[in-house]
Amino acid sequence: MPAEILIPVIGVSIAVVLFVIMKVSKYFLSPHAWRRTRESITAYLYLLPSMIVLSIFVFWPIIYSFVLSFFKWDFKNQANPQFIGFDNYIQLFKLKHPVSMTFNVAFLGTFFLIFATIYFLTVLLDLKRISDKKVKNIIILNAVISAITFILWNVISYQLQWIIFLWLAFSYTAIAAMKKIEGTPDKLLLRMIILITVYVAGIKLIHIPEIVTYLSMAKEEADFLKAIWNTSYYVLLSMPITIFLSLVIAMLFYQEVKGKVVFRTIYFIPFVTSVVAVSLVWQWIFNDNGLLNYILSFFGVEKILWLKDEKWTIPTIAIISIWKLVGYYSIIFLAGLQNIDKSYYEAAEVDGANSWQKFVHITWPLLSPTTFFILIVSMIGAFKVFSEIFVLYSGLPGPYNNSGLTVVYYVFEKFYGEQRMGQASAAAYVLFGIILIFTFIQFVAGKKRVHYDS
């Protein structure tokens, strides 16, 4: 029986059973208990139609597509899908030609650099937050081991590299699980600088293989890896700029300025405008002889082939996305700013705090729930970019060489273009897994950094 018929039948059956239970329970329960039961069942009966609709159009497609990802279901096998296990997932990462670096080696190098940096940061900035002397000694010892391994990485055998990495990972995981490091990490900018410095030094000076280098080589040998590379590039380029500009605009909107309601409306209009209309307008702006190149010519900038050069494909898409979303996120930031009690600012002024100090110690901490929400929403939206590329490049993934191929575009092409529904489902769930991992990391990191003020 088709799902669109089976689910309503099950829903009606559940409704009948609940209705019978509500009527029969009147004779077996006390008046008070029966009244509570009747209210609960009535609530479920009101929710049941919505659940049936959601099951047909949301829950069932999600479950079915996940099952489909383990089958070979294409145009030839449409009537009788063949179970092939994880082959669809393996095919996504299969390279046309081998590259000089394997994924295992890149994975090992990447996570060694991450854990080595964690130990360096703990020794430099967090030892004072550790009261247990044994844990302190283990941290210092592991930092020394990390430093020696970092320097001698290319001399140490592959098996020993794995042993050292597993020891470092297990040790820090155990210390973190036992909550031996107290308090909340501070000096986040300094930590970020140290992380980038160690990572770049490991790549450039020691030549430690890592995942970015691997993807940069393998992306030309597998379309799905190319899609992951392009999507990651887009996320890293668009997200920080969008959030920064949104916060700046929200701070300006928060000031007492004449006509700010008009400006809010102007900034918000791109968000409610059709993506197709927006992309078509920007297609004209980005044209070789378009408005943007015309404006840049006044500053002596040579003509940029925005829509024809592959190096400008992702930045072009990011510009459109930033322009479209910055007004929406600025309104959300503005709502967060208006929710901050002004008495905090008044107390800070009495203490002689300047504007920057008020922002750092009052606005930014109390704006953290709003920032956290925007981080989650913007990241999920950025990973799902598709419409702008499809319209801007007239149904193609970029001008050439798949320079605009993203994961969602890859899913679309596999499903509608090549009729390989199994591989498309597998790619969709890999994207789901990537988004889930980054969302989980943000939730874990946000537990100590997000401050909720009643």
Side-chain angles (χ1 to χ4, degrees):
M1 185 182 293
E4 59 269 18
I5 298 175
L6 180 62
I7 292 173
V9 169
I10 294 173
V12 172
S13 304
I14 293 172
V16 171
V17 171
L18 288 175
F19 185 78
V20 171
I21 291 172
M22 183 173 64
K23 292 299 181 182
V24 173
S25 62
K26 182 179 181 180
Y27 302 102
F28 300 98
L29 299 175
S30 64
H32 176 69
W34 179 76
R35 189 162 52 249
R36 291 181 59 186
T37 303
R38 184 186 63 182
E39 290 173 355
S40 299
I41 292 177
T42 303
Y44 286 124
L45 288 172
Y46 275 113
L47 287 172
L48 198 57
S50 299
M51 293 303 298
I52 292 172
V53 174
L54 286 172
S55 298
I56 294 173
F57 295 104
V58 179
F59 302 139
W60 172 248
I62 289 174
I63 295 169
Y64 189 68
S65 62
F66 179 70
V67 174
L68 216 87
S69 68
F70 300 100
F71 284 80
K72 184 179 182 181
W73 191 40
D74 51 22
F75 187 77
K76 292 182 180 179
N77 301 279
Q78 201 163 13
N80 299 300
Q82 300 175 5
F83 179 77
I84 56 174
F86 289 95
D87 280 3
N88 284 327
Y89 292 91
I90 294 171
Q91 288 298 319
L92 294 177
F93 298 95
K94 188 175 181 180
L95 304 182
K96 299 171 187 174
H97 304 95
V99 294
S100 59
M101 184 187 302
T102 65
F103 177 79
N104 293 340
V105 171
F107 175 88
L108 174 61
T110 301
F111 280 93
F112 167 76
L113 285 172
I114 291 172
F115 278 100
T117 307
I118 289 173
Y119 280 109
F120 296 156
L121 289 172
T122 306
V123 169
L124 293 173
L125 302 174
D126 295 330
L127 278 182
K128 59 181 181 294
R129 298 196 291 119
I130 303 174
S131 56
D132 193 326
K133 290 185 178 179
K134 290 183 179 179
V135 174
K136 273 188 180 180
N137 292 333
I138 292 173
I139 292 288
I140 294 171
L141 174 63
N142 285 349
V144 173
I145 293 173
S146 300
I148 295 172
T149 307
F150 182 85
I151 297 170
L152 301 177
W153 181 263
N154 294 314
V155 179
I156 299 173
S157 66
Y158 180 68
Q159 291 76 13
L160 184 57
Q161 290 173 354
W162 268 106
I163 293 171
I164 293 172
F165 161 69
L166 292 174
W167 164 251
L168 295 177
F170 174 78
S171 300
Y172 193 83
T173 304
I175 291 169
M178 293 186 292
K179 298 181 179 179
K180 294 295 184 178
I181 304 177
E182 302 166 356
T184 304
D186 55 359
K187 301 177 181 176
L188 294 182
L189 181 59
L190 178 60
R191 292 172 188 272
M192 186 62 66
I193 292 171
I194 294 174
L195 172 63
I196 294 172
T197 302
V198 173
Y199 203 88
V200 172
I203 299 171
K204 299 297 183 182
L205 300 179
I206 311 298
H207 303 292
I208 296 176
E210 44 75 52
I211 200 70
V212 176
T213 306
Y214 171 79
L215 285 175
S216 66
M217 293 189 295
K219 64 185 175 70
E220 303 301 335
E221 303 297 336
D223 288 343
F224 187 69
L225 292 179
K226 179 87 170 186
I228 291 177
W229 176 272
N230 290 339
T231 305
S232 303
Y233 178 25
Y234 171 80
V235 171
L236 292 173
L237 183 63
S238 65
M239 258 187 63
I241 298 174
T242 303
I243 293 173
F244 174 75
L245 291 178
S246 301
L247 180 58
V248 171
I249 293 170
M251 295 291 291
L252 294 174
F253 285 162
Y254 191 60
Q255 308 301 318
E256 294 298 330
V257 181
K258 290 182 179 180
K260 62 181 179 182
V261 176
V262 177
F263 286 110
R264 289 179 196 174
T265 306
I266 292 171
Y267 274 95
F268 192 74
I269 284 175
F271 179 73
V272 297
T273 307
S274 167
V275 176
V276 176
V278 167
S279 300
L280 287 173
V281 170
W282 279 95
Q283 191 179 50
W284 168 72
I285 294 173
F286 283 128
N287 195 23
D288 293 353
N289 298 312
L291 181 62
L292 187 55
N293 277 333
Y294 177 73
I295 294 172
L296 292 175
S297 65
F298 288 106
F299 300 95
V301 179
E302 293 184 4
K303 184 186 294 185
I304 298 174
L305 302 178
W306 297 100
L307 300 177
K308 294 180 180 178
D309 193 340
E310 67 170 331
K311 71 178 181 182
W312 290 107
T313 303
I314 298 301
T316 299
I317 301 163
I319 290 170
I320 299 174
S321 175
I322 292 166
W323 177 82
K324 181 175 174 59
L325 295 174
V326 72
Y328 170 64
Y329 293 138
S330 64
I331 296 297
I332 297 177
F333 268 127
L334 180 61
L337 288 169
Q338 291 173 339
N339 197 40
I340 298 174
D341 195 335
K342 291 185 178 181
S343 62
Y344 293 125
Y345 296 108
E346 293 169 357
E349 287 176 2
V350 171
D351 292 336
N354 57 33
S355 299
W356 174 250
Q357 290 170 329
K358 285 189 285 186
F359 174 80
V360 171
H361 298 290
I362 298 174
T363 305
W364 186 241
L366 294 180
L367 207 58
S368 56
T370 307
T371 308
F372 179 68
F373 168 77
I374 291 176
L375 276 171
I376 296 291
V377 172
S378 62
M379 183 198 69
I380 294 173
F383 270 109
K384 297 192 300 180
V385 62
F386 168 75
S387 302
E388 294 87 345
I389 305 168
F390 189 79
V391 177
L392 197 64
Y393 292 99
S394 304
L396 297 174
Y400 60 93
N401 197 27
N402 286 331
S403 59
L405 183 67
T406 59
V407 177
V408 175
Y409 202 110
Y410 181 89
V411 173
F412 169 82
E413 185 61 31
K414 285 292 177 182
F415 195 96
Y416 291 101
E418 301 179 17
Q419 297 284 303
R420 296 181 180 179
M421 285 69 84
Q423 284 191 21
S425 300
Y429 275 93
V430 171
L431 175 62
F432 170 75
I434 293 171
I435 293 174
L436 187 67
I437 290 169
F438 281 106
T439 304
F440 175 75
I441 292 171
Q442 287 183 327
F443 268 101
V444 171
K447 281 185 177 179
K448 294 182 179 181
R449 307 301 308 182
V450 179
H451 306 280
Y452 294 95
D453 180 55
S454 60

